[in-house]
């Protein structure tokens, strides 16, 4: 986050900052969010709580948003639908937990969390290489199905392999980092290694201070650190996509035969993209575990984990890297608003409090409105998510970000904003700040 | 994973090979399971073969069929009807489920799927996936809301379901070497019926001719005056109805649980079978169903005799078949070059 400071730097820095003004603004909003949430819910009470997701929900959104981006990295840019992407998410998550529990051969239990995270990513990349060897012989529906098949194999194994959970507990119930009796034992340190002020323990029992500031809430510190990691991953993926390598990926999506005819070894590029996206997918899994501390097959290797990344990618815009991230926020927002999937508010408690009792008790065929609200607006997020998804596929198939780009007539919203800002503040903006 | 008594494996296999009774039991079970798998995947393969639509909502259709069948079994009091009455009412329920889900299929095809024919095939996956999650959640809402099975959507609905199935179906019959239950006989009969029915539909009827022409060359079929759109609608309706019928069959089988997760439990093996058989090939699907059924029966036997103690072995094996098959023959048993490749 230090890049926000507009100190007197070399000329390229000013230019760089001006080119990334939208990114900086969005990062600033994310940084301010936990305080904003507290302020707004204090100020506007239940109306704000109804619309805004809690900071804790935002934590999972960050990790799963990164997963959606990594899914889009291969599926949206090379056109190969990686339908078993959950495999990599699960590998990352399980690697961190099992590594911490000292169950992985050659990996000592006391390894720092950051190393575990990166190692998990590398393991996922190797797994992607092996999966790719089989599945890149095919394309289209076959590719989607064979990746799905392999991830289902991993799902079944993670559901049954009792090595994962030493002792007697059922592997399908999931596994916690550290002994279950010792809550708070798992304290992953996230940050830049060897720079003390930039490190902190993540998790519900983690540190409350970061960079010397006392936030008084480990949730906020975790939010910042995980957010910084997600930002870093995003920038790395974006860099790759804008590199010549990324251009070849897009060429493969548009016309693989032609890319091959020009002389590119498309197999290598596809494999590279698949491995990179597996790496970041595993990082996302590890980051989720960093805060939650436990993982189970349903939330890692399961087919619907990929499913929701896909939904997020379509809503945000397939083939736009940031799109799936915002798509996931949108999706999660809708689920929380209409179904109270998160722990926050939602429409139902709002209606319950604001509608007069007479309305709530109106009887509709053996059912009061209050009961109906309870039945249809709690815990059925998939229902609304599915309908919204179908509507997007039918009417906005290029997604939110894709539509925005089309409306603005640009291939990059960030560039567009920078240009507009530069136009408006032309003379003052072109000089480095003195 | 291997039992401490692992050295027995070879002995067990020798025992199996030398005991015709055991062997025939596995074959019959494999046939019965294969028939069920054929019924599950027939609709999927029919729809894919013609329309290039991988129907992710297929499992949800089967789940709805199973719930309706369960409701009918319990609601009609089939258990107290006597064997013939029970079988008759099950048959009627099957017919109704077919018509109902075929109607749903028509609505989906006309209202939603038709809009996306011009898009890359991946959009069909997306659309039907969205439908699948919505349908599953809708059933979850219904179950919780009407307090079916005390609102427990994840647990098998209503144990009396098994009791209301006529007891004649569970009894073991002997015929020479072969011993089989009535249920297995009915499953095999329906599997054969499904196979013959679809085969006859494709090869002996005028509509089947249209369908095959559409598979072969859509543009040419259109040019020859075949109403491809109507053919698509009809095939989607038949495929959806078949999914429903499979659900009714599953509701009769105590090994399958009638619950919301059934949708996925059906969908994934059906995909495997369709792909192992080769996308778009009905013959391939039939062969692959039998193959998967046999391997499933062998796995069950291995688990029952304690050779292997891995509870979800059958699932692992089904997906193992998929991976091995795609390594050996990337296009499946009877796959056609080009089908399902693009997009």
């Amino acid at each position: 986050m230090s890049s926000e400071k507009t100190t007197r730097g070399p000329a390229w820095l000013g230019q760089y900052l001006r080119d990334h003004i939208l990114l900086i603004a969005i990062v600033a909003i994310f940084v301010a969010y936990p305080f904003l949430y507290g302020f707004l819910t204090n100020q506007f009470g239940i109306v704000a709580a109804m619309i805004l997701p809690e900071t804790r929900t935002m934590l999972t959104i960050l990790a799963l948003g990164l997963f959606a981006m990594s899914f889009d990295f291969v599926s949206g840019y090379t056109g190969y639908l990686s339908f078993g992407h959950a495999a990599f998410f699960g590998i990352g998550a399980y690697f961190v937990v099992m590594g911490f529990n000292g169950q992985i051969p050659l990996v000592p239990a006391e390894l720092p969390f950051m190393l575990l995270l990166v190692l998990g990513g590398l393991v996922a990349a190797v797994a992607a290489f092996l999966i790719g060897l089989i599945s890149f012989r095919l394309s289209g529906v076959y590719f989607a199905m064979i990746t799905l098949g392999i991830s289902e194999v991993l799902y079944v194994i993670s559901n049954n392999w009792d090595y994962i959970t030493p002792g007697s507990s059922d592997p399908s119930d999931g596994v916690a980092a550290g002994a279950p009796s010792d809550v708070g034992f798992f304290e992953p340190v996230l940050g830049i290694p060897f720079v003390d002020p930039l490190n902190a323990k993540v998790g519900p029992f983690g540190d409350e201070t970061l960079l010397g500031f006392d936030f008084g809430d480990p949730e906020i510190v975790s939010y910042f650190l995980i957010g910084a990691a997600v930002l870093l991953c995003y920038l790395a993926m974006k860099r790759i996509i804008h590199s010549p390598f990324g251009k070849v990926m897009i060429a493969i999506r548009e016309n693989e035969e032609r890319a091959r005819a020009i002389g590119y070894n498309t197999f290598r590029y596809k494999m590279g993209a698949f491995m990179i996206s597996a790496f970041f997918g595993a990082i996302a899994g590890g980051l989720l575990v960093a805060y939650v501390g436990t993982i189970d097959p349903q939330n890692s290797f399961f087919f619907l984990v990929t499913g929701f990344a896909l939904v997020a990618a379509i809503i945000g815009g397939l083939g736009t890297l940031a799109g799936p991230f915002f798509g996931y926020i949108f999706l999660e927002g809708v689920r929380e608003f209409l179904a109270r999937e998160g722990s926050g508010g939602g429409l139902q408690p709002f209606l319950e409090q604001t509608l007069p009792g007479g309305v709530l008790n109106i009887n509709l065929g053996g059912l009061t409105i209050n009961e109906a609200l309870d039945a249809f607006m709690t815990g059925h997020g998939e229902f609304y998510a599915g309908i919204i998804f179908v509507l997007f596929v039918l009417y906005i198939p290029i997604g939110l970000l894709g539509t925005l780009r089309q409306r603005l007539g640009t291939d990059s919203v960030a560039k567009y904003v920078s240009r507009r800002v530069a136009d408006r503040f032309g003379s003052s903006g072109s000089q480095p700040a003195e | 994973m291997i039992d401490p008594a692992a050295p027995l494996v070879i002995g067990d296999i020798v025992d199996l090979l030398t005991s015709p009774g055991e062997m025939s039991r596995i074959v019959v079970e494999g046939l019965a399971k294969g028939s069920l798998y054929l019924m599950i995947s027939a609709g999927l393969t029919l729809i894919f073969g013609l329309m290039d639509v991988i129907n992710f909502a297929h499992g949800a259709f089967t789940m709805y069929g199973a719930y309706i069948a369960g409701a009918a079994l319990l609601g009609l009091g089939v258990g107290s009807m006597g064997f013939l009455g029970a079988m008759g009412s099950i048959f009627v329920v099957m017919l109704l489920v077919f018509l109902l889900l075929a109607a749903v299929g028509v609505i989906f095809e006309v209202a939603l799927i038709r809009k996306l024919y011009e898009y890359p095939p991946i959009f069909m996956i997306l659309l039907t996936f969205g439908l699948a999650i919505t349908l599953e959640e809708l059933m979850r809402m219904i179950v919780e809301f009407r307090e079916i099975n005390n609102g427990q959507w994840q647990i098998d609905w209503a144990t009396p379901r098994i009791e209301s199935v006529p007891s004649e179906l569970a009894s073991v019959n002997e015929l020479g070497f072969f011993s089989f239950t009535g249920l297995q006989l009915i499953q095999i009969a329906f599997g054969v019926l499904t196979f013959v029915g679809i085969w006859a539909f494709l090869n002996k009827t005028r509509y089947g001719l249209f369908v095959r022409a559409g598979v072969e060359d859509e543009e040419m079929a259109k040019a020859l005056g075949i109403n491809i759109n109507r053919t698509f609608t009809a095939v989607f309706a038949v495929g959806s109805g078949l999914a429903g019928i499979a659900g009714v069959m599953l509701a009769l089988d105590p090994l399958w649980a009638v619950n919301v997760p059934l949708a996925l439990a059906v969908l994934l093996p059906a995909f495997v079978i369709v792909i192992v058989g080769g996308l778009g090939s009905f013959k391939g699907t039939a062969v692959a169903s039998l193959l998967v059924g046999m391997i499933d029966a062998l796995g069950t036997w291995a688990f029952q005799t304690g050779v292997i103690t891995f509870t979800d072995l059958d699932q692992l094996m089904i997906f193992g078949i998929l991976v091995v098959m795609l390594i050996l023959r990337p296009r499946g048993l009877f796959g056609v070059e080009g089908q399902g490749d693009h997009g």
Side-chain angles (χ1 to χ4, degrees), chain A residues 79-81 83 134 137-142 144-146 148-150 152-157 159-163 302-304 306-308 310-311 314 318 341 367 371-372 375-387 389-390 393-395 397-398, chain B residues 1 48 52 54 56 111-113 115-116 119 121-123 125-127 129-131 133-138 140-141 144-145 264 267-268 271 275 278-279 310-313 315-316 319-320 322-323 325-332 335-336 339-343:
Chain A
Y80 278 76
L81 194 64
F83 225 64
I134 304 171
R137 302 192 305 164
L138 304 159
S139 60
V141 177
Y142 280 103
M145 287 301 140
I146 192 163
L148 172 64
I150 291 170
E152 276 301 304
V153 168
L154 289 175
Y155 171 67
V156 173
I157 291 176
N159 240 333
N160 292 281
W161 195 21
D162 39 19
Y163 177 76
F302 193 47
F303 157 67
L304 282 183
T306 317
F308 277 101
L310 174 71
V311 172
I314 295 298
L318 207 61
E341 289 284 316
L367 177 81
E371 283 168 346
F376 294 116
M377 307 217 104
T378 33
H380 293 293
E382 273 86 353
F383 182 70
Y384 304 104
I387 291 178
F389 181 60
V390 167
V393 171
L394 283 175
Y395 298 108
I398 51 174
Chain B
M1 286 327 89
F48 184 86
D52 271 353
I54 288 253
F56 267 77
L112 302 169
I113 292 173
K115 291 189 173 27
L116 291 185
Y119 284 64
I122 253 172
F123 277 86
I125 296 188
L126 303 179
L127 177 70
F129 176 71
L131 286 177
I133 21 183
T134 311
L135 285 176
E136 278 171 45
E137 198 59 44
L138 181 67
R140 215 169 287 177
M141 272 175 164
E144 279 181 11
F145 190 60
L264 262 186
L267 184 67
L268 294 174
F271 276 156
I275 288 173
L279 281 173
F310 193 89
T311 29
D312 282 352
L313 181 78
Q315 292 186 43
L316 198 61
F319 290 107
L322 173 71
V323 174
M325 175 55 79
L326 287 180
I327 292 172
L328 296 178
R329 279 185 70 94
R331 267 160 232 291
V336 187
Q339 182 103 49
D341 258 344
H342 31 74

Side-chain angles (χ1 to χ4, degrees), chain B residues 9-287:
Chain B
V9 171
I10 294 169
D12 277 329
I13 291 170
V14 171
D15 273 355
L16 170 70
L17 292 177
T18 52
S19 103
E22 192 88 330
M23 199 62 180
S24 72
R25 199 173 59 80
I26 293 174
V27 169
V28 170
E29 202 181 318
L31 280 175
K33 286 190 179 203
S35 302
L36 272 188
Y37 282 128
L38 176 65
M39 298 190 70
I40 289 170
S41 48
L44 200 64
T45 198
L46 210 57
I47 291 173
F48 184 86
L50 176 65
M51 303 163 70
D52 271 353
V53 174
I54 288 253
N55 182 14
F56 267 77
H58 190 81
F61 287 155
T62 303
M63 188 256 295
Y64 273 76
Y67 262 104
I68 295 171
L73 281 177
L74 295 169
L76 297 174
V78 167
S80 55
M81 278 185 181
F83 182 64
L84 281 181
M87 290 319 293
S89 40
I90 288 169
F91 200 75
V92 170
V93 167
M94 211 172 256
L95 208 64
L96 287 178
V97 165
F98 180 85
L99 292 176
L100 192 71
L101 281 168
V104 173
V106 169
I107 293 170
F108 278 178
E109 206 278 336
V110 171
L112 302 169
I113 292 173
R114 186 170 283 182
K115 291 189 173 27
L116 291 185
Y117 282 135
E118 301 304 314
Y119 284 64
I122 253 172
F123 277 86
M124 290 297 184
I125 296 188
L126 303 179
L127 177 70
T128 52
F129 176 71
L131 286 177
I133 21 183
T134 311
L135 285 176
E136 278 171 45
E137 198 59 44
L138 181 67
M139 181 52 93
R140 215 169 287 177
M141 272 175 164
I142 295 172
V143 168
E144 279 181 11
F145 190 60
R146 307 295 314 180
E147 305 223 315
I148 296 170
N149 197 21
N150 298 321
Q152 302 279 330
W153 52 265
Q154 65 281 62
I155 301 174
D156 187 10
W157 176 37
T159 2
R161 161 177 82 89
I162 312 296
E163 286 154 22
S164 60
V165 173
S167 58
E168 284 85 349
L169 289 185
S171 62
V172 180
N173 306 300
E174 300 265 352
L175 189 76
F177 278 142
F178 293 95
S179 64
F180 49 85
T181 63
L183 182 63
Q184 282 173 332
L185 203 62
I186 286 182
Q187 284 172 346
I188 294 172
F190 269 99
V192 172
L193 204 66
T194 310
F195 179 75
V196 173
I198 292 177
W199 182 84
F201 169 69
L202 286 177
N203 291 302
K204 297 290 171 196
T205 65
R206 201 171 160 68
Y207 234 83
L209 189 67
F210 291 172
V211 172
R212 280 182 297 140
V215 173
E216 200 74 36
D217 190 334
E218 201 186 307
E219 296 285 314
M220 196 64 206
K222 263 186 208 160
L224 289 174
I226 296 174
N227 188 342
I228 280 287
N229 270 354
R230 209 166 61 202
T231 315
F232 278 8
T233 311
V235 165
F236 200 81
V238 170
S240 310
L242 282 173
I245 289 195
V248 178
M249 286 308 286
L250 295 184
L252 295 177
D253 190 332
L255 289 177
W256 291 78
V258 177
N259 53 13
V260 174
L262 177 71
L264 262 186
V266 163
L267 184 67
L268 294 174
F271 276 156
V272 172
I273 288 163
V274 169
I275 288 173
V276 166
L279 281 173
S281 156
F282 180 63
K283 182 173 63 174
T285 301
V287 174

Side-chain angles (χ1 to χ4, degrees), chain A residues 274-335:
Chain A
F274 195 44
M275 287 170 71
I276 292 167
S277 96
F279 177 84
F280 287 113
I283 297 281
L287 287 177
L288 185 71
V289 167
Y291 185 74
V292 185
T294 60
I295 194 70
D296 58 74
Q298 283 293 323
N299 289 317
S300 56
F301 284 112
F302 193 47
F303 157 67
L304 282 183
V305 175
T306 317
F308 277 101
L310 174 71
V311 172
I314 295 298
I315 289 179
L318 207 61
T320 64
L321 190 60
F325 185 76
F326 294 111
Y328 201 87
I329 294 179
F330 180 83
L331 179 67
E332 205 55 36
V334 165
R335 273 153 57 102

Side-chain angles (χ1 to χ4, degrees), chain A residues 96-312:
Chain A
V96 166
V97 171
M98 291 173 72
F100 179 79
N101 291 346
Q103 285 170 301
I104 297 175
L106 304 179
V107 177
E110 55 279 354
L111 214 61
F113 175 76
M114 292 295 283
L115 263 178
L116 270 182
L117 193 65
V118 173
L119 265 181
L122 292 176
V123 168
V126 172
F129 178 75
L130 296 175
I131 296 173
L133 279 184
I134 304 171
S135 44
F136 275 123
R137 302 192 305 164
L138 304 159
S139 60
V141 177
Y142 280 103
F143 179 83
M145 287 301 140
I146 192 163
T147 48
L148 172 64
I150 291 170
S151 87
E152 276 301 304
V153 168
L154 289 175
Y155 171 67
V156 173
I157 291 176
S158 70
N159 240 333
N160 292 281
W161 195 21
D162 39 19
Y163 177 76
I164 296 171
T165 49
S168 54
S169 71
D170 186 356
S172 61
D173 291 340
V175 54
S181 56
D182 195 4
V183 183
F185 179 62
F186 177 59
E187 288 179 329
V189 175
L190 206 60
I192 299 170
F194 310 116
V195 187
D196 260 352
L198 290 175
N199 277 312
K201 287 177 191 147
V202 190
F205 303 95
D207 284 340
E208 298 180 358
T209 55
L210 181 69
L211 285 166
F213 291 106
D214 190 349
F215 293 102
D217 187 356
E219 213 169 71
I220 296 179
V221 173
S222 308
Y223 171 80
F224 283 154
L225 284 169
I226 291 176
V230 170
L231 178 67
L232 195 70
C233 291
Y234 165 71
L235 291 174
M237 281 193 274
K238 197 173 144 83
R239 189 71 206 83
I240 296 168
I241 280 170
H242 288 171
S243 73
F245 184 90
K247 296 292 173 216
V248 180
M249 283 165 62
I250 295 170
I252 290 173
R253 177 187 71 194
E254 296 302 328
N255 193 333
E256 187 170 349
E257 304 244 317
R258 195 173 293 171
R260 205 180 303 129
I262 296 170
Y264 287 111
N265 184 344
T266 52
F267 177 77
R268 279 197 199 158
Y269 284 90
K270 286 186 289 189
M271 186 68 102
F274 195 44
M275 287 170 71
I276 292 167
S277 96
F279 177 84
F280 287 113
I283 297 281
L287 287 177
L288 185 71
V289 167
Y291 185 74
V292 185
T294 60
I295 194 70
D296 58 74
Q298 283 293 323
N299 289 317
S300 56
F301 284 112
F302 193 47
F303 157 67
L304 282 183
V305 175
T306 317
F308 277 101
L310 174 71
V311 172

